[in-house]
Amino acid sequence: MRDLDAPRLPSSPGFWRSPLRGPWFTSVLGLVLLVGVTVLFVTGLFSYAAYNPDLSPVNDKTPDKGILGFYLFAWPTNPYWLYRLNQGVHVTLGITLIPVLLAKLWSVVPRLFALPPARSLTHALERISLLLLVGGALFEFVTGVLNVQLDYVFPGSFYRLHFYGAWVFFAAFVAHALLKTPTALRNLRHLREESNDLVSPRPTEPTVSRRGALWFVGGGSTLLFATTVGRSFDGPLRRAALLAPHGGGDPGSGPNGFQINKTAAHAGIDAAETGEDVWRLVVTGRTGTVRLRRDELLRLPLYSAALPIACVEGWSTSDQWWRGVRLRDLAALVGYDDPPDVFIESLQRSGAFRKAALRANQVADPRSLLALYVNGEELSPDHGHPARIIVPAAPGVLNTKWVARMTFGDL
């Protein structure tokens, strides 16, 4: 029989009747997010630093950011798997936290409709920070998931949107954490539930305990983790990464059979301009310009390095064996005993990162190569034939494919 006295507006305390809502339940979820979101923000800043945004405008996808764009440090080349770890943690943790975030929002939804909207100036500021927190969280997680899925349906650059959104979200998150963390810790220390605006005055009969609900949320996070984390590993784990792309395109099999994001066809690379009799590497520096055919590059000292490729979407390859000319040896050809920065241009004519810059410490690392071979075979067109950059610990987009020109010097 219909309850005629039941509140009909979301702003009424009795409208929300779930017996699961309460300070203990929301406090547990809040403390998990406190740790998880902090790790997400820190790894996001590290990812920003890895692009060397103050080195060259071509590396900076967030112009006019003012004081928000402070540069952390010169991104190192050791350990060589640093970016692979950082971005793997950032993306995998972000996806894993989605059930926790949704459960947390569900647990506090009555407060979003509470009236009056503001009881005091302090309460008004708290409500504004809450709106920024909820909106920022949804924006960051949605844009992040879309980027992981290589689905760029949002307007504008992902880098810019995600960067500015992160600062808005984290500022609101810090303000909320300062206000609520002491209360959350106090709630966890009490076994008996305190009464507050989250506890329904007319709850329905429970079908699951609060601890059972937490297990349900944890199970959802575990499932997302299991179907995402494999993007960074080979074998069965990679095949289990059902919710995460392993890189665009089919890499095929053989020595060149590992993940790619952009094929030669997608980048508009014409086979006629990469042939032995046409392609030249143009190297410019202090003493002038040198043009090298591929066979001339092969007569220079060649070195090998085992390095992965790791992308901003969180996927990475295992270590591949690359062979080619050291970047610092190419710098020496144009007059540099101490390797400087380098500006690299690709045959690719459009799209982000068709041009990129590397710092002097990256050029100087003996594992940084202009690669001509991978796993004992010539590079395939999709992996950058006739030559590509490979640098330890650098984001995949800075490992430029189809290299046409390199300009050494301070940038």
Side-chain angles (χ1 to χ4, degrees):
M1 186 173 181
R2 184 179 177 184
D3 187 351
L4 297 178
D5 296 326
R8 299 181 182 182
L9 295 177
S11 57
S12 302
F15 181 86
W16 307 97
R17 303 188 61 192
S18 173
L20 295 180
R21 289 190 180 93
W24 183 86
F25 184 70
T26 197
S27 295
V28 172
L29 297 171
L31 291 176
V32 172
L33 288 174
L34 176 64
V35 176
V37 169
T38 301
V39 173
L40 284 180
F41 187 72
V42 171
T43 52
L45 282 182
F46 285 168
S47 182
Y48 169 78
Y51 283 77
N52 295 315
D54 73 338
L55 175 62
S56 173
V58 300
N59 285 15
D60 191 355
K61 301 302 175 184
T62 52
D64 304 322
K65 55 195 171 296
I67 60 173
L68 295 181
F70 63 88
Y71 187 70
L72 300 175
F73 46 81
W75 188 252
T77 56
N78 284 309
Y80 72 92
W81 39 259
L82 178 61
Y83 188 77
R84 184 184 187 189
L85 173 66
N86 181 84
Q87 205 61 16
V89 169
H90 183 76
V91 173
T92 303
L93 178 60
I95 292 176
T96 301
L97 286 177
I98 288 175
V100 183
L101 174 67
L102 294 178
K104 169 69 172 178
L105 294 179
W106 174 86
S107 73
V108 297
V109 71
R111 287 179 176 164
L112 298 179
F113 296 92
L115 295 177
R119 296 189 296 270
S120 64
L121 178 60
T122 301
H123 184 244
L125 293 175
E126 181 182 342
R127 293 296 296 274
I128 292 172
S129 72
L130 185 61
L131 289 175
L132 291 174
L133 179 67
V134 173
L138 293 175
F139 180 82
E140 285 299 285
F141 278 80
V142 168
T143 55
V145 169
L146 288 174
N147 181 66
V148 167
Q149 300 298 328
L150 307 178
D151 192 358
Y152 305 110
V153 297
F154 36 78
S157 165
F158 165 76
Y159 295 94
R160 189 178 302 184
L161 292 171
H162 206 64
F163 177 84
Y164 289 123
W167 279 107
V168 172
F169 167 54
F170 197 71
F173 178 79
V174 170
H176 188 74
L178 291 175
L179 290 170
K180 297 299 183 181
T181 298
T183 302
L185 292 174
R186 186 167 59 251
N187 289 334
L188 291 181
R189 287 195 294 267
H190 289 78
L191 295 179
R192 294 183 63 186
E193 192 70 75
E194 297 179 7
S195 296
N196 72 357
D197 56 339
L198 295 178
V199 179
S200 175
R202 48 195 306 275
T204 58
E205 287 296 320
T207 58
V208 64
S209 68
R210 289 191 175 98
R211 293 185 185 276
L214 287 178
W215 277 107
F216 179 76
V217 173
S221 289
T222 301
L223 179 63
L224 289 180
F225 176 83
T227 52
T228 302
V229 69
R231 61 174 50 219
S232 299
F233 302 93
D234 289 330
L237 277 177
R238 189 179 292 278
R239 291 192 292 273
L242 303 176
L243 299 182
H246 310 157
D250 181 6
S253 58
N256 279 274
F258 55 96
Q259 291 67 38
I260 53 176
N261 246 13
K262 186 180 296 181
T263 65
H266 184 269
I269 303 301
D270 189 342
E273 58 187 339
T274 61
E276 296 278 351
D277 55 341
V278 175
W279 180 81
R280 299 290 184 273
L281 174 68
V282 180
V283 184
T284 300
R286 179 186 296 155
T287 58
T289 298
V290 176
R291 289 175 173 81
L292 299 167
R293 300 189 306 271
R294 196 170 188 280
D295 65 304
E296 291 175 318
L297 285 169
L298 291 173
R299 288 199 289 270
L300 297 175
L302 300 182
Y303 298 87
S304 296
L307 299 172
I309 294 176
C311 280
V312 68
E313 294 92 2
W315 66 265
S316 60
T317 73
S318 58
D319 292 353
Q320 310 296 323
W321 275 101
W322 307 90
R323 187 163 178 79
V325 181
R326 287 176 174 172
L327 298 188
R328 67 186 190 184
D329 291 344
L330 291 172
L333 286 179
V334 287
Y336 294 98
D337 294 327
D338 294 322
D341 307 330
V342 63
F343 180 68
I344 302 162
E345 299 173 73
S346 172
L347 290 173
Q348 181 182 341
R349 293 177 180 82
S350 63
F353 295 103
R354 64 188 183 277
K355 301 176 181 179
L358 296 175
R359 283 197 175 278
N361 68 306
Q362 294 172 309
V363 176
D365 193 290
R367 295 163 297 181
S368 296
L369 303 175
L370 178 73
L372 306 171
Y373 297 93
V374 63
N375 299 323
E377 187 176 276
E378 282 192 10
L379 295 169
S380 68
D382 290 342
H383 281 300
H385 178 82
R388 70 168 296 162
I389 300 296
I390 187 72
V391 173
V397 290
L398 298 184
N399 292 312
T400 309
K401 298 193 284 189
W402 313 294
V403 175
R405 179 183 291 269
M406 303 176 69
T407 303
F408 289 92
D410 294 334
L411 299 178

